[in-house]
Amino acid sequence: MFKKSLGLVVFAAAASFSMATFADGHSAGDAVKGEKVFKKCATCHMVGPDAKKKVGPPLNDIIGRKAGSLEGFKYGKSIVAAGEAGLVWTDEELFAYLKNPRKYLRAKLDDKKAKSKMALKLKKEDQRADVIAYLKTFSKPAE
């Protein structure tokens, strides 16, 4: 009982914290709304304590993770190359990536042939911000 109510308190705190803004001026989103938007992502990704690999990697602790680096997951060449070139997932980087993953990787790598296995595009800024706020509820706080 205590664990469940503590989890709700942590989730509520993260949701209210998420109303801040990104460094680039975008609203940081709403984790509660992001949970609903994440249903689009759930076809390929999981989050939470029981998250497993699906078509895409689990997204726990995505914030601060080097792109293409989750051990045991087979990523596409372009996302691995981006990680090797120094791409670390921040709010801002995820915000840009989620709009159009292939276009983002092509620009990031300066490679017109770069590909992304991720087909989903979240074109609406508020949806991207909300999903990021939701994902942050599954990330360890910065130390």
Side-chain angles (χ1 to χ4, degrees):
M1 177 79 165
F2 177 73
K3 279 186 174 183
K4 187 173 181 179
S5 58
L6 179 60
L8 291 173
V9 169
V10 170
F11 184 80
S16 63
F17 170 76
S18 71
M19 297 312 289
T21 57
F22 293 123
D24 63 3
H26 295 290
S27 169
D30 180 318
V32 174
K33 289 179 182 176
E35 182 177 15
K36 292 176 186 169
V37 177
F38 187 78
K39 289 178 183 177
K40 296 177 183 183
C41 311
T43 302
C44 299
H45 296 281
M46 291 180 75
V47 291
D50 298 325
K52 295 179 175 90
K53 293 178 239 174
K54 291 174 84 174
V55 173
L59 297 178
N60 296 336
D61 298 317
I62 188 74
I63 305 299
R65 183 191 307 162
K66 181 172 93 169
S69 69
L70 185 68
E71 194 168 323
F73 188 79
K74 185 169 172 49
Y75 290 94
K77 292 177 185 177
S78 296
I79 198 74
V80 171
E84 289 172 351
L87 176 60
V88 173
W89 293 122
T90 62
D91 294 9
E92 295 82 8
E93 294 292 350
L94 274 174
F95 189 82
Y97 179 77
L98 291 171
K99 182 176 183 181
N100 186 328
R102 183 179 62 183
K103 188 175 179 180
Y104 172 89
L105 287 173
R106 288 181 175 184
K108 196 67 146 170
L109 296 170
D110 193 24
D111 178 358
K112 64 182 178 181
K113 293 183 180 181
K115 297 179 183 177
S116 175
K117 290 183 176 184
M118 190 165 125
L120 180 69
K121 299 175 187 175
L122 293 177
K123 294 185 178 187
K124 294 180 180 178
E125 289 184 6
D126 61 331
Q127 287 186 340
R128 285 182 275 151
D130 292 344
V131 152
I132 292 166
Y134 177 65
L135 291 174
K136 289 174 85 169
T137 67
F138 297 97
S139 292
K140 296 175 198 153
E143 295 178 5

